[in-house]
Amino acid sequence: MASKLLHRLRRTLLREVTLQPQLGSAEDFPESSELDDDTEGLSSRFSGTLSFEGEQEPESEDPGENSELDSDSDEDSGENGTESTESSPACQPPARNMLTKQLQDSWKQSRTRSIPERLLFEVTDASVVQEGTSKYVLYTIHVIKSGQSDKTPSPITRRYTDFNRLHSQLRGLYGNEMRGIAFPRKKLRRNFAAETIAKRSRAFEQYLTHLHSLAELRRAPLFLEFFYLGDLQAGQSLLRVGQYQEAVGCLLNALGLQEKLGCRPQGHWIFTLAILVASFQELEQPEEAQEYCERALQDLTSPSLQRQQQQHPLLVPLLQAIVRLSWKVSKDKRQWESQLQQLKDSGVDVGSQPSLKEYLVKESLEGSEGGRHKGGDVA
């Protein structure tokens, strides 16, 4: 049936060409003309404004929604770009139509298979804070894993000056990657107007999402520490003054942020687990302490850390802690005793090592390249 319709259509077009010889070559090949038109339609549907929503394929956004954050134009691989290609089968040769449909199906399947795990940065609250003569807006941002049900979104609170400091430091260290990345401008007035706060909230969401979409910046210590270092430093400070339960809350949030950001087992990951172990020990919760201690030791023996030439300073304190904890919770401790013995045989003076808590209290915890956060800046 389709071939008959196509044959009739060609005969009709042939008669029109005979009657109107002045028509261009596109009319001689209606199939080619239709394909070109469709390509233009796809291009217009794929074009849009970069909204920093995606890691690989940013989605389009209505222009003007956030006037304070400039955005780069990019192509949007939206799925709505496949609507018109199958709307009129009689207008295209069956072979070409079949090829187009196969390409569409393959594209849709690849989109389903290769959706990367992304992070969402959602501003859930923005409150005006008055401290003496100082007044500022405090933004609460939830870091959420997309593509699944994240029951434990990790919150942080940051001021405009925190974002501005991060932006300046990243520009100084990663000039090429930061080229063209816009940042919300400072305002001389109406900083506390609801409209300004709403626009900045949206801009900060886009800004963080855009930074996270760039591989070099996503792994940058400054970017990672912007999220978790404040909570980690607060947890250490609380451990020092004996507020162990409060320390656990900060540390669990810092651990969750590092896990979502992909820090395991690099950076401060082991240090975070170790402070959790010490805090749970002081709270007389040996099961929890043993669990986190075992996690830390498993990560210490991971290939990425084993390639390091120097022995990790927390290895012996953690091994000594887990031997005692395993005995308390009636778990097999022979594996850890064997590792301690191997260290002794290799010449390590195990007896002179500080206890886990002693090491954690004395250790100075700082960020990288000026990216230090004070404990009071954390959520």
Side-chain angles (χ1 to χ4, degrees):
M1 184 64 181
S3 61
K4 291 182 180 179
L5 289 174
L6 179 61
H7 183 65
R8 291 177 184 175
L9 177 60
R10 284 177 170 168
R11 285 193 301 172
T12 302
L13 291 173
L14 183 61
R15 286 198 298 270
E16 290 179 0
V17 171
T18 304
L19 294 174
Q20 300 179 359
Q22 69 274 17
L23 290 178
S25 59
E27 290 293 325
D28 296 335
F29 302 93
E31 302 93 331
S32 175
S33 176
E34 177 67 23
L35 185 61
D36 290 341
D37 289 343
D38 186 61
T39 303
E40 292 178 3
L42 287 173
S43 298
S44 65
R45 285 192 294 274
F46 278 19
S47 62
T49 303
L50 179 66
S51 64
F52 305 160
E53 287 292 329
E55 176 173 335
Q56 299 292 335
E57 298 163 315
E59 299 174 356
S60 63
E61 180 188 57
D62 292 335
E65 179 180 347
N66 195 326
S67 60
E68 293 195 9
L69 183 62
D70 297 333
S71 56
D72 304 319
S73 62
D74 196 11
E75 290 187 351
D76 175 19
S77 303
E79 293 187 1
N80 60 350
T82 63
E83 293 174 356
S84 62
T85 54
E86 298 180 65
S87 58
S88 179
C91 294
Q92 296 180 347
R96 291 196 178 189
N97 189 48
M98 180 65 70
L99 178 60
T100 303
K101 188 175 186 305
Q102 289 173 344
L103 290 173
Q104 292 167 5
D105 292 341
S106 175
W107 177 75
K108 289 178 181 178
Q109 291 173 5
S110 66
R111 288 270 295 181
T112 304
R113 290 194 303 267
S114 60
I115 294 177
E117 182 176 87
R118 298 182 298 173
L119 291 184
L120 301 178
F121 303 93
E122 181 181 354
V123 177
T124 59
D125 183 69
S127 55
V128 178
V129 178
Q130 183 81 47
E131 290 183 351
T133 59
S134 176
K135 187 179 181 181
Y136 58 89
V137 179
L138 194 63
Y139 299 89
T140 300
I141 305 105
H142 277 78
V143 182
I144 307 168
K145 278 188 177 180
S146 66
Q148 62 183 26
S149 178
D150 190 348
K151 297 180 180 179
T152 57
S154 304
I156 62 172
T157 59
R158 298 291 182 267
R159 301 166 53 175
Y160 178 91
T161 52
D162 296 321
F163 282 97
N164 193 35
R165 186 188 308 115
L166 172 68
H167 186 68
S168 299
Q169 292 169 346
L170 287 175
R171 286 183 62 187
L173 292 171
Y174 303 92
N176 291 333
E177 291 78 6
M178 293 295 292
R179 186 179 295 115
I181 297 181
F183 187 76
R185 300 184 301 272
K186 287 187 176 181
K187 283 180 171 287
L188 297 178
R189 55 189 180 87
R190 293 183 58 80
N191 280 297
F192 305 106
E195 180 182 2
T196 300
I197 293 175
K199 285 184 177 181
R200 279 189 174 171
S201 298
R202 176 60 174 158
F204 288 146
E205 291 175 349
Q206 294 181 318
Y207 178 72
L208 293 175
T209 304
H210 192 192
L211 293 181
H212 187 261
S213 72
L214 304 175
E216 188 70 21
L217 297 179
R218 183 169 60 245
R219 296 189 294 265
L222 275 173
F223 176 73
L224 299 172
E225 291 166 6
F226 173 80
F227 293 93
Y228 73 80
L229 185 59
D231 274 329
L232 180 52
Q233 289 178 328
Q236 184 187 34
S237 299
L238 291 166
L239 175 71
R240 286 170 172 165
V241 298
Q243 299 182 28
Y244 307 115
Q245 194 63 58
E246 293 82 356
V248 166
C250 293
L251 295 166
L252 287 176
N253 197 54
L255 191 71
L257 287 164
Q258 290 178 74
E259 194 163 15
K260 291 176 183 180
L261 292 163
C263 301
R264 178 180 181 180
Q266 289 79 20
H268 296 97
W269 174 263
I270 302 296
F271 198 89
T272 309
L273 289 170
I275 304 181
L276 274 168
V277 173
S279 299
F280 280 122
Q281 280 182 306
E282 296 297 330
L283 291 170
E284 297 185 359
Q285 296 179 243
E287 291 84 1
E288 289 81 357
Q290 197 275 342
E291 175 187 348
Y292 285 103
C293 197
E294 187 169 343
R295 286 181 64 181
L297 287 168
Q298 287 174 349
D299 288 327
L300 275 177
T301 57
S302 66
S304 60
L305 289 184
Q306 282 185 332
R307 284 194 295 267
Q308 297 181 3
Q309 294 182 354
Q310 294 183 346
Q311 175 187 303
H312 197 285
L314 280 167
L315 178 59
V316 172
L318 284 168
L319 283 171
Q320 292 174 331
I322 201 170
V323 168
R324 292 190 295 270
L325 289 167
S326 297
W327 177 80
K328 284 187 177 181
V329 298
S330 301
K331 286 194 173 182
D332 190 357
K333 55 186 174 64
R334 286 175 294 180
Q335 172 189 354
W336 315 117
E337 289 175 330
S338 175
Q339 291 191 28
L340 270 175
Q341 187 60 48
Q342 290 176 12
L343 290 172
K344 290 180 182 179
D345 296 340
S346 67
V348 176
D349 188 0
V350 174
S352 65
Q353 299 285 330
S355 70
L356 184 60
K357 184 180 177 182
E358 288 172 348
Y359 178 88
L360 296 171
V361 167
K362 293 178 181 179
E363 178 68 10
S364 178
L365 181 60
E366 296 185 1
S368 58
E369 283 129 337
R372 179 167 183 154
H373 290 250
K374 296 180 180 179
D377 290 339
V378 299

